[in-house]
């Protein structure tokens, strides 16, 4: 029996065979194209395994997802944002396979729970802070999917003071403040001349005032969102990953300070907020765990 793991995001897609230990082996990554996304995905999968041999597939896809219909409508993949029948397309390519789908944030939470920073911790909130902000919940050792599969989508918690329109159609989501592109946009409005989250983090580390202020603003908003979420779901660990989360103390210190200010209920004493251990493979590891 052959198991496959697949991670579909707005900028890249990654596939791998699942090893006997439940982890992805020798992952292969390709860019997510602007058009013909399924064709590129199918080619990636065919190059990873012979379709006739595949019996299990774990899939993580950026959300929203619909677990009932097996469709996805990721707001960061234009061609699919109005809905795409991912499970049906996978079933055509892999007719013998049991296909299990999860939102990418949920898969990241499961990956860190099984293999990463949250091993042995039954209740975990995971955030992926990158070009957007995703999230997922593991409670009692299992993914909490919610009615449609999108539970834990913390990027769309509304934070105080933000009135920026979000790609989801709402206003003031934490993603509009604390994602990499949002922090860059705000800094540029104040005269900063860089163009990427990596540059913003480097300038903040070097003491550039606008970069420091932008990361502080992002960190405070993340802390507010996390404090709201942990009070709602009663977890003892928050794991934060994603490319922009690598910005270091200028982002992490405000996150911790903001959480300390807002998360004051006694049952939240001892809350741990830690970096993800699996790096860019956390979501794929969660997809692999779906096949077990």
């Amino acid at each position: 029996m052959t198991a496959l793991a697949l991670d579909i995001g707005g900028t890249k897609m990654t596939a791998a065979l699942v090893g006997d230990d439940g982890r992805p082996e020798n992952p292969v990554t390709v860019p997510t194209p602007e058009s013909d996304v399924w064709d590129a995905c199918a080619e990636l999968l065919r190059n990873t395994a012979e379709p006739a041999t595949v019996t299990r597939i774990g899939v993580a896809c950026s959300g929203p997802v619909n677990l009932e219909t097996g469709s996805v409508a990721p707001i960061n993949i234009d061609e699919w944002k109005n809905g795409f029948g991912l499970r049906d397309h996978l079933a055509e390519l892999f007719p013998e396979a049991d296909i299990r789908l999860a939102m990418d944030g949920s898969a990241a939470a499961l990956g860190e729970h099984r293999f990463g920073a949250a091993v042995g911790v039954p209740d975990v909130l995971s955030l992926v802070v990158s070009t957007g902000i995703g999230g997922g919940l593991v409670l009692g050792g299992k993914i909490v999917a919610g009615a449609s599969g999108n539970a834990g989508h913390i990027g769309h918690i509304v934070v105080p003071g933000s009135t920026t329109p979000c790609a989801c159609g709402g206003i003031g989501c934490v993603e509009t403040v604390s994602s990499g592109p949002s922090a860059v946009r705000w800094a540029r409005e104040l005269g900063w001349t860089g163009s990427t989250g990596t540059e913003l983090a480097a300038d903040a580390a070097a003491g550039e005032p606008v970069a420091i202020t932008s990361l502080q603003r992002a960190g405070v908003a993340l802390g507010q969102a996390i404090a709201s979420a942990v009070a709602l779901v009663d977890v003892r660990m928050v794991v934060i990953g994603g490319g922009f989360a690598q910005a270091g103390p200028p982002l992490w210190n405000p996150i911790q300070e903001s959480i300390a200010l807002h998360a004051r209920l006694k049952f939240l004493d001892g809350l741990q907020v830690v970096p993800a251990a699996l790096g860019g493979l956390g979501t794929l590891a969660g997809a692999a765990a779906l096949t077990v």
Side-chain angles (χ1 to χ4, degrees):
M1 298 193 303
T2 300
L4 271 178
L6 172 65
D7 174 21
I8 301 174
T11 58
K12 63 183 177 64
M13 299 181 287
T14 305
L17 295 174
V18 179
D20 293 338
D21 60 357
R23 296 173 181 261
E25 294 184 337
N26 303 315
V28 176
T29 298
V30 298
T32 301
E34 293 185 5
S35 61
D36 299 322
V37 175
W38 170 246
D39 291 343
C41 182
E43 181 179 6
L44 170 66
L45 291 169
R46 282 191 292 263
N47 289 337
T48 304
E50 173 59 42
T53 69
V54 175
T55 56
R56 292 165 291 151
I57 305 174
V59 186
C61 185
S62 54
V65 302
N66 187 319
L67 298 187
E68 183 176 353
T69 64
S71 63
V72 299
I75 60 176
N76 56 0
I77 301 178
D78 284 343
E79 192 176 66
W80 289 4
K81 67 181 180 181
N82 293 320
F84 179 76
L86 180 58
R87 188 165 60 202
D88 288 345
H89 280 76
L90 286 166
E92 290 182 8
L93 185 59
F94 300 98
E96 303 300 321
D98 173 25
I99 300 165
R100 299 181 183 181
L101 173 66
M103 183 179 67
D104 57 353
S106 297
L110 182 61
E112 292 292 337
H113 169 69
R114 292 282 180 88
F115 308 115
V119 170
V121 180
D123 304 310
V124 182
L125 170 66
S126 172
L127 284 79
V128 180
V129 183
S130 187
T131 54
I133 297 178
L137 280 171
V138 168
L139 299 181
K142 297 181 179 179
I143 286 178
V144 176
S148 64
N150 294 287
H153 216 328
I154 193 172
H156 301 283
I157 286 181
V158 176
V159 293
S162 177
T163 58
T164 303
C166 181
C168 74
I171 294 174
C173 300
V174 68
E175 185 170 297
T176 69
V177 180
S178 304
S179 71
S182 295
V184 165
R185 182 184 63 248
W186 189 86
R188 287 180 61 84
E189 289 173 356
L190 269 67
W192 181 70
T193 58
S195 59
T196 69
T198 300
E199 292 171 350
L200 188 68
D203 281 359
E208 203 283 326
V210 173
I212 290 173
T213 304
S214 180
L215 289 184
Q216 182 177 34
R217 177 176 179 266
V220 167
L222 278 170
Q224 291 169 335
I226 290 168
S228 297
V230 296
L232 180 66
V233 298
D234 190 11
V235 299
R236 302 298 170 85
M237 178 174 283
V238 178
V239 180
I240 306 178
F244 195 53
Q246 312 304 311
L251 178 68
W252 278 82
N253 289 346
I255 291 173
Q256 298 280 8
E257 292 164 3
S258 182
I259 291 171
L261 178 64
H262 295 289
R264 303 301 292 270
L265 291 164
K266 291 299 293 181
F267 69 80
L268 298 176
D269 287 353
L271 175 70
Q272 298 181 68
V273 181
V274 301
L278 299 178
L281 294 178
T283 305
L284 187 69
L290 292 172
T291 68
V292 177

